[in-house]
């Protein structure tokens, strides 16, 4: 006998939690499609040489390699041929480069699949987790106007998920780098300073300031203070954002371009009807990756800042330089849904869902079986999810089962009701019972379902 | 520069094929949920010792093992800790055994995920493919009435997929084994004969007869003939099925039990309104796996028998004997959707889908941008999938883009229309143009979309 268990670092859900998770996935997908993004799915594994174009680095050390039994037996010294994807960006780059001539640009794709990282096992860290990504990829060029579309999608997603107030925080890499230039910080030192900025939340301003003044960086105290003051800029509302950007004063060409694009994105976002309470500038946001070159986004739940960013991304100059000579600039974001779901549950913000089953058609005796089957089919044709009790049991047991399973309606056809062509309906959610004509039953229950949904 | 390419044996789709595939997945899911099945997802990998409970066998040789970079470096002699699932049945067994106390029985679950087999690379053979499974699992016992529910689900799925006429073919393992007993075939010889029956389609009756008469089997010619005659039994309609089962005459207790359950399933299926043209008995169906112990199902497309069974399954006595002492009998089926989709495309039975994007909001000049963005948002709020043209281009280019992308409506706001609070709508599907009031636009386009859908 083998103990049934999952590997560490995966999130496996009981059905009613799975339903709650699935609803979040569906909501995200619907919203992505609403904004005209097209679905892509890629294989879980890529050829190792395709996946691991960069040598070394943290990511590569976390990669899972895949070998068939035959390959294992050969005990080859070479790297295994296949590896599990560790994000959806590298597969996207490979996909766009591979299918370049068959795609229309700007290419708008969404992808919602699991990715794999050999993380150290730790509470809240996952080795398998969903990412829900959107990207808009241009060929040769991509209008900066897409930079405003992305936060509008983020806004629609989190509104639809209904997990509380949130703020989409924005910054611009060119604004940051231009500001560094103005302080005399150039070249590779910019990258180092960017990385320090990224640590502000974790290490605190004092520690970061010490590092900046230390011998690796050698910033003058005044420059360090200006840098930290810059990084503290946050906006309260739309006009405040524009005013604070204006107050920064003149800067290098890169600085001015960044500011112009950031302002334009704010204006477009307002034109799309995104409430100004839901977005802000936050000039401390750097996003660690070298990859980003323009707008960067992070999203936080206002009541749960400790969760950190629940949706991040930005603008990049070249998606697929390893695979194609074409220049493919893009902008995108990613939601790590497994971690988010786990955190929302920990914070009590998502509940176990009701069952996806709307109706249990009860069975009182064997003679009623064929009728129960036929009635179930009619309710399904009306659009309801129906389970049929196939063996007669005490009614109390059937009600108890439905209650525990989170099934709202139990349909019972007693002798009295049958003579009238009617059934009794127990509404376990409202704690009510009513009678309904069989012919009307499907419609009646659908209306009840929609009413409750509309009430939220 | 690395050539962007996928590993052999995977099916990666362009967006419009992905949309077609996704619609099939959605239809299957909706139908499974309609019958009260609950969603389960399991991790892509299982612990190797949990996954590979049986030693040896074809399946194990096709397993993909997974190792993190760290584990590779250790060059351990042991089997890698993790392996990719090769079906959804073993993970289901592990899941049910692991969560036994938290699940309600009969446990009705559906699972639609990819599975992995290190198959020899070959056209139409996949190393990564979707399976769409349903199972009903009982604890200690499971009513044979569930045996009729399963083909009703199959029926609803393939009706909803709309891929042509099909027949759900049924047989019963107890009927088969009872018949063998009547011919004096006992014990392990029954398994061998079952396997020969399974090869009837491929090898033909003459070859199978020769094998049965050969020294490994040593059947008398009369017994072999009776066996082959039995395996040729097919029904034309419901009454014919019952009559042909009756004509088989009396048999062993196992035979009689199989016949009773088969007849009862036929009656229940009719009670559920499944048309008798869509199901039949086919006494040659054996299903290779030893696993099955009762009803077995295969489904064929009437116009494309060469595709073989597109949905198979059956009844089994014990799901999870390797993981728990509880007896968990069940019944279920599986649809191999990747292979089915591939075959339907080869046979010209599925087309590239129209875009999931309903509307392109065109842009004629920069001054129109904010209006186009706001209009797009209103159309999204109405429930439409909308792409906004963010940089002005020649209208002909925008129309050409929408046409190639499979987007049906292009909304154009010329000066004339704007003065009337209206827009022009190009319907590329119908080749028409009409004017619509902006306030009505969302509703108008939704109605048009529903009308076309209703026309199929």
């Amino acid at each position: 006998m083998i103990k049934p268990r999952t590997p560490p670092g995966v999130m496996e859900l009981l059905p009613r939690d799975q339903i709650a998770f699935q609803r979040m996935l569906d909501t995200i997908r619907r919203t992505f499609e609403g904004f005209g993004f097209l679905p892509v799915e890629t294989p879980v594994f890529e050829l190792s040489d395709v996946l691991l174009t960069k040598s070394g680095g943290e990511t590569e050390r976390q990669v899972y390699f895949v070998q068939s039994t035959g390959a294992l037996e050969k005990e080859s010294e070479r790297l295994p041929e296949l590896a599990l994807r560790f994000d959806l960006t590298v597969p996207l780059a490979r996909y766009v480069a591979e299918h370049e001539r068959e795609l229309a640009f700007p290419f708008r794709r969404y992808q919602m699949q699991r990715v794999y990282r050999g993380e150290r096992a730790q509470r809240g860290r996952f080795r398998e987790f969903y990412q829900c990504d959107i990207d808009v990829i241009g060929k040769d060029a991509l209008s900066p106007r897409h930079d405003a579309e992305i936060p509008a999608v983020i806004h629609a997603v989190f509104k639809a998920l209904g997990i509380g107030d949130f703020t989409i925080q924005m910054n611009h890499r060119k604004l940051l780098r231009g500001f560094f230039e103005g302080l005399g910080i150039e070249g590779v030192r910019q990258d180092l300073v960017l990385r320090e900025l990224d640590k502000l939340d974790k290490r605190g301003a004092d520690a970061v300031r010490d590092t900046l003044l230390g011998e690796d960086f050698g910033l003058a105290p005044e420059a360090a203070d200006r840098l930290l003051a810059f990084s503290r800029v946050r906006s309260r509302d739309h006009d405040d954002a524009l005013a604070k950007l204006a107050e920064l004063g003149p800067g290098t060409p890169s600085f001015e371009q960044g500011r112009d694009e950031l302002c334009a994105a704010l204006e477009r976002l307002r034109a799309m009807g995104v409430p100004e309470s839901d977005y802000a500038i936050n000039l401390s946001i750097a996003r660690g990756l070298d990859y980003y070159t323009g707008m960067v986004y992070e999203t936080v739940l206002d009541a749960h800042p400790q969760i950190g960013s629940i949706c991040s991304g930005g603008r990049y100059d070249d998606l697929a330089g390893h695979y194609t000579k074409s220049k493919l600039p893009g902008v995108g974001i990613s939601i790590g849904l497994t971690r988010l779901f786990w955190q929302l549950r920990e914070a009590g913000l998502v509940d176990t869902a009701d069952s996806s089953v709307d109706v249990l058609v009860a069975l009182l005796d064997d003679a009623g079986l064929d009728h129960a089957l036929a009635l179930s089919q009619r309710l399904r044709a009306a659009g309801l999810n129906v389970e049929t009790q196939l063996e007669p049991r005490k009614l109390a047991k059937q009600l108890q089962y439905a209650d525990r399973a989170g099934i709202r309606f139990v349909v019972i056809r007693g002798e009295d009701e049958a003579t009238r062509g009617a059934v009794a309906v127990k509404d376990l959610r409202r704690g009510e019972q009513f009678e309904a004509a069989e012919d009307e039953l499907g419609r009646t229950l659908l209306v009840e379902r929609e009413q409750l949904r509309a009430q939220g």
Side-chain angles (χ1 to χ4, degrees), chain A:
Chain A
M1 200 74 80
I2 289 154
K3 185 169 190 275
R5 64 209 194 279
T6 51
V10 302
M11 185 175 82
E12 182 169 85
L13 301 171
L14 288 170
R16 287 174 68 179
D17 290 317
Q18 183 66 40
I19 292 166
F21 187 82
Q22 185 64 49
R23 286 194 182 145
M24 291 182 78
L25 277 175
D26 289 344
T27 299
I28 295 170
R29 172 147 76 101
R30 213 180 309 118
T31 310
F32 286 171
E33 292 192 345
F35 280 82
F37 289 85
L38 302 174
V40 161
E41 289 196 344
T42 63
V44 77
F45 42 52
E46 298 277 346
L47 292 164
S48 298
D49 69 320
V50 172
L51 192 69
L52 305 170
T53 51
K54 295 175 221 165
S55 55
E58 184 62 21
T59 309
E60 185 162 348
R61 262 178 277 132
Q62 295 190 340
V63 164
Y64 280 113
F65 291 98
V66 176
Q67 284 179 293
S68 66
T69 321
L72 271 185
E73 281 161 3
K74 280 187 208 145
E75 292 193 58
S76 154
E77 285 297 302
R78 292 181 313 154
L79 213 57
E81 192 197 13
L82 302 171
L84 300 182
R85 62 177 166 240
F86 51 82
D87 69 7
L88 301 179
T89 303
V90 177
L92 170 67
R94 194 266 307 146
Y95 182 95
V96 175
E98 183 174 348
H99 304 294
E100 202 175 325
R101 269 171 292 186
E102 300 151 290
L103 300 174
F105 292 90
F107 176 54
R108 308 162 68 81
R109 88 85 176 76
Y110 74 87
Q111 187 169 356
M112 302 169 61
Q113 291 190 286
R114 297 172 186 225
V115 305
Y116 298 87
R117 292 188 195 166
E119 297 260 10
R120 191 182 299 254
Q122 198 182 327
R123 203 176 134 72
R125 283 265 169 201
F126 295 98
R127 293 174 174 177
E128 176 188 57
F129 56 97
Y130 268 99
Q131 286 196 331
C132 307
D133 281 26
I134 48 170
D135 286 88
V136 187
I137 314 294
K139 185 138 178 184
D140 303 323
L142 180 72
S143 166
R145 291 174 178 176
H146 290 281
D147 296 357
E149 221 184 3
I150 296 292
V153 182
I154 301 174
H155 180 262
V157 164
F158 288 105
K159 269 290 163 201
L161 287 176
I163 53 177
D165 290 340
F166 57 90
T167 305
I168 304 165
Q169 302 184 332
M170 292 179 280
N171 198 0
H172 200 292
R173 276 294 188 96
K174 290 204 171 78
L175 186 80
L176 274 172
R177 289 190 182 274
F179 185 76
F180 297 166
E181 280 166 22
L183 296 176
I185 306 167
E186 302 279 354
V188 77
R189 281 175 74 222
Q190 286 188 8
D191 298 330
L192 296 174
V193 173
L194 267 177
R195 241 162 264 164
E196 285 308 305
L197 270 187
D198 233 14
K199 296 178 192 161
L200 266 175
D201 275 353
K202 273 185 203 150
R203 296 187 60 208
D206 288 346
V208 169
R209 187 172 187 275
D210 287 347
T211 305
L212 293 174
L213 297 177
E215 61 186 25
D216 286 356
F217 290 86
L219 281 197
E222 195 227 333
D225 289 338
R226 284 185 60 200
L227 194 66
L228 289 169
F230 178 88
S231 77
R232 277 191 293 271
V233 173
R234 310 273 189 284
S235 62
R236 284 187 311 274
D237 56 36
H238 186 84
D239 289 340
D240 187 48
L242 297 179
K244 287 203 166 121
L245 287 171
E247 280 164 21
L248 295 173
T252 69
S254 165
F255 182 87
E256 296 298 344
Q257 190 192 343
R259 176 157 57 187
D260 287 350
E261 289 185 11
L262 195 43
C263 289
L266 290 165
E267 296 293 10
R268 293 291 90 68
L269 207 48
R270 179 152 73 170
M272 296 180 86
V274 176
E276 57 186 330
S277 57
D278 296 350
Y279 58 87
I281 57 168
N282 175 346
L283 301 193
S284 76
I285 290 174
R287 304 296 309 146
L289 297 172
D290 298 339
Y291 185 59
Y292 294 116
T293 53
M295 292 280 296
V296 283
Y297 316 97
E298 292 192 352
T299 305
V300 291
L301 290 176
D302 296 348
H304 302 272
Q306 79 289 356
I307 288 181
S309 179
I310 58 175
C311 171
S312 311
R315 174 92 181 195
Y316 42 87
D317 274 347
D318 197 12
L319 175 71
H322 293 293
Y323 307 126
T324 173
K325 286 177 192 158
S326 304
K327 206 181 163 204
L328 301 169
V331 59
I333 52 102
S334 179
I335 303 170
L337 193 63
T338 299
R339 183 155 180 269
L340 176 59
F341 183 82
W342 185 83
Q343 287 170 314
L344 292 173
R345 270 211 309 188
E346 293 282 304
L349 291 173
V350 289
D351 249 346
T352 293
D354 285 339
S355 179
S356 51
V357 181
D358 301 304
V359 187
L360 177 71
V361 173
L363 184 66
L364 301 179
D365 52 44
D366 281 332
L369 178 62
D370 282 355
H371 188 277
L373 289 172
L375 178 61
S376 300
Q377 290 285 74
R378 272 187 284 150
L379 296 179
R380 285 175 192 128
L384 291 153
N385 296 340
V386 183
E387 180 176 343
T388 320
Q389 176 70 36
L390 292 182
E391 294 286 345
R393 281 200 291 171
K394 278 187 187 152
L395 185 57
K397 287 267 177 205
Q398 299 185 50
L399 290 170
Q400 190 188 57
Y401 164 73
D403 191 41
R404 283 191 189 156
I407 301 173
R408 183 175 165 196
F409 299 111
V410 181
V411 169
I412 307 150
R413 188 166 173 262
E415 282 180 33
D416 275 9
E417 290 94 358
T419 56
R420 289 193 295 276
V423 291
V425 180
K426 282 256 188 204
D427 181 342
L428 299 175
R429 180 74 181 263
R430 291 198 203 269
E432 295 169 1
Q433 176 162 345
F434 58 91
E435 187 171 313
E438 263 198 45
D439 294 345
E440 304 280 320
L441 184 60
R443 207 161 355 136
T444 306
L445 297 182
L446 273 183
V447 168
E448 289 285 334
R449 190 178 74 178
E450 293 314 310
Q451 276 179 355
L452 207 67
R453 276 193 193 164
Q455 288 167 22

